[in-house]
């Protein structure tokens, strides 16, 4: 019994010792892989390779570990494309991004990007139509100036237009040749400016320039006036023979139309503000000489600015 107990005890100890040795060998092998990657130590110097099979396994594992370590080492400097197994350098990515930005926004030197304009058929805009009602007192002047009104709409904006005298209205619609999406609204503003009383040469600016607007107000918006007081205010705005009105127009680079107590100003936003301030001062009761001095100062500031 004692012999059998000793044999069992020795067998158990050998088994436990063998398991520990295997675990230790695994740890040593893992440590050797790290050493091979960092310090290029051969497996034979460690005394771990015993047969051909184990050496073959070592070689395969070393190749995998070297690739993994190299990829982790160059992770900050390289980007690996898994689809084609090719290495893309950051310089190439930066160059591609610069080329894309140049295509979109142009060069840094100020050159505009070269975008081809869309053809009329590629806009995909449905045919739209608008109608502009003409008051009775403007029908005669509209018929007289019709030969000057429609050519900019047809030739420049590429719209179709016709006049309906029985309905006292002008009808417009887009066509297959229309290139500008906002052409219809521009033409409506152009016709409304003519109906308000502006000349055709002045109203065409709404078609050819971008930041041109019409501001309308009445005398009562500035000060409540009635009877002779209202007439005198209108007289101060116009001046003798229209002198004051022409001075405001030339100084502020605007066009002014007065229809009774209605005042319409055509121009850019800043110029409209200058003209409206001058007209408001005249309505309140300032003498024209004082307004001329203010306009002279404004004109000198504009010259200095440019």
């Amino acid at each position: 019994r004692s012999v059998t107990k000793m044999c069992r005890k020795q067998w158990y100890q050998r088994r436990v010792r063998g398991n520990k040795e295997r675990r230790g060998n695994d740890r040593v092998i893992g440590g050797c892989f790290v050493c091979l990657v960092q310090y290029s130590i051969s497996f034979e110097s460690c005394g771990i390779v015993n047969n051909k099979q184990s050496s073959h396994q070592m070689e395969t594992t070393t190749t995998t570990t070297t690739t993994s370590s190299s990829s982790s080492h160059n992770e900050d400097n390289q980007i690996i494309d898994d689809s084609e197994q090719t290495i893309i350098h950051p310089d190439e990515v930066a160059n591609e991004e610069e080329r894309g930005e140049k295509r979109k926004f142009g060069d840094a030197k100020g050159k505009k990007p070269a975008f081809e304009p869309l053809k009329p058929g590629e806009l995909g805009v449905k045919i739209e139509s608008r109608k502009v009602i003409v008051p009775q007192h403007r029908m005669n002047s509209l018929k007289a100036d019709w030969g000057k009104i429609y050519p900019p709409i047809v030739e420049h904006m590429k719209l179709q237009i016709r006049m309906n005298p029985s309905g006292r209205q002008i009808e417009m619609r887009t066509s297959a040749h229309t290139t500008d999406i906002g052409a219809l609204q521009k033409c409506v503003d152009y016709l409304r400016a003519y109906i308000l009383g502006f000349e055709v040469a002045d109203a065409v600016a709404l078609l050819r320039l971008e930041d041109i607007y019409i501001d309308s107000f009445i005398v009562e918006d500035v000060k409540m006036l009635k009877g002779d007081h209202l007439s005198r205010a209108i007289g101060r705005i116009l001046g003798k023979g229209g002198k004051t009105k022409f001075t405001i127009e030339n100084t502020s680079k605007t066009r002014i139309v007065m229809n009774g107590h209605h005042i319409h100003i055509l121009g850019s936003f800043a110029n409209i503000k200058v003209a409206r301030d001058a007209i408001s001062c005249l309505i309140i009761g300032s003498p024209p000489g004082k307004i001329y001095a203010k306009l002279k100062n404004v004109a000198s500031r504009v010259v200095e600015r440019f």
Side-chain angles (χ1 to χ4, degrees):
R1 288 181 181 176
S2 62
V3 173
T4 55
K5 284 182 180 179
M6 289 295 291
C7 292
R8 287 179 182 175
K9 189 176 181 180
Q10 290 176 1
W11 176 81
Y12 180 72
Q13 290 176 354
R14 287 174 185 173
R15 186 176 179 184
V16 172
R17 195 183 300 120
N19 291 335
K20 289 182 179 179
E21 288 178 357
R22 289 192 197 95
R23 292 172 187 169
N25 290 336
D26 293 341
R27 292 172 185 172
V28 171
I29 290 169
C32 288
F33 284 154
V34 177
C35 293
L36 280 170
V37 173
Q38 295 180 354
Y39 306 104
S40 301
I41 300 174
S42 64
F43 287 104
E44 295 178 357
S45 64
C46 295
I48 298 170
V49 179
N50 295 323
N51 52 16
K52 295 180 180 180
Q53 185 177 0
S54 61
S55 65
H56 180 67
Q57 292 176 356
M58 297 261 189
E59 290 175 0
T60 55
T61 52
T62 51
T63 54
T64 56
T65 53
T66 52
T67 54
S68 63
S69 63
S70 62
S71 62
S72 63
H73 181 69
N74 299 328
E75 196 173 15
D76 297 334
N77 299 326
Q78 296 177 350
I79 301 171
I80 297 177
D81 190 0
D82 294 333
S83 60
E84 298 180 356
Q85 296 296 329
T86 55
I87 296 175
I88 305 171
H89 293 278
D91 296 336
E92 297 179 0
V93 177
N95 293 334
E96 284 293 330
E97 290 178 355
E98 288 179 1
R99 291 193 204 100
E101 289 179 358
K102 285 181 181 179
R103 275 189 236 106
K104 288 182 180 179
F105 308 107
D107 296 335
K109 296 179 181 179
K111 294 181 181 179
K112 294 182 179 180
F115 288 120
E116 295 182 359
L118 291 175
K119 297 179 181 178
E122 296 176 353
L123 291 175
V125 181
K126 296 180 181 178
I127 294 177
E128 300 177 355
S129 61
R130 297 284 293 273
K131 295 179 181 179
V132 179
I133 298 174
V134 183
Q136 182 65 40
H137 69 279
R138 294 293 292 170
M139 283 299 297
N140 293 331
S141 60
L142 178 67
K143 292 176 183 178
D145 296 334
W146 182 249
K148 300 176 183 178
I149 292 172
Y150 77 85
I153 297 175
V154 176
E155 297 173 1
H156 182 63
M157 307 304 291
K158 308 294 182 184
L159 295 180
Q160 296 177 350
I161 184 172
R162 69 179 181 181
M163 180 172 57
N164 186 2
S166 60
R168 287 191 290 110
Q169 60 188 7
I170 301 171
E171 300 173 358
M172 294 180 296
R173 69 177 183 181
T174 59
S175 64
H177 303 283
T178 305
T179 56
D180 188 4
I181 298 175
L184 197 60
Q185 183 60 42
K186 288 181 180 180
C187 292
V188 170
D189 295 338
Y190 162 65
L191 292 175
R192 284 177 179 170
Y194 175 79
I195 291 169
L196 288 174
F198 293 99
E199 296 182 2
V200 177
D202 298 331
V204 169
L206 291 166
L207 299 179
R208 299 182 178 176
L209 301 176
E210 291 294 331
D211 299 328
I212 300 296
Y213 309 98
I214 296 176
D215 186 17
S216 301
F217 64 99
I218 59 177
V219 176
E220 285 81 358
D221 291 339
V222 181
K223 187 178 181 181
M224 293 298 296
L225 298 173
K226 295 180 181 179
D228 294 338
H229 299 288
L230 179 61
S231 301
R232 283 192 290 269
I234 295 172
R236 284 194 299 272
I237 296 170
L238 293 175
K240 185 177 180 181
K243 179 183 176 182
T244 306
K245 184 174 86 71
F246 293 145
T247 303
I248 296 172
E249 287 180 346
N250 295 330
T251 306
S252 61
K253 296 181 181 179
T254 56
R255 291 293 179 268
I256 299 171
V257 169
M258 292 199 64
N259 184 11
H261 61 108
H262 291 272
I263 303 169
H264 310 286
I265 307 172
L266 173 68
S268 63
F269 182 79
N271 296 339
I272 287 174
K273 185 177 183 303
V274 173
R276 182 164 182 162
D277 291 343
I279 292 172
S280 299
C281 291
L282 289 171
I283 292 171
I284 291 171
S286 298
K290 192 173 181 180
I291 302 302
Y292 292 157
K294 288 184 179 180
L295 291 175
K296 188 176 180 180
N297 294 331
V298 170
S300 62
R301 273 191 241 121
V302 171
V303 171
E304 289 176 0
R305 187 184 304 169
F306 287 102

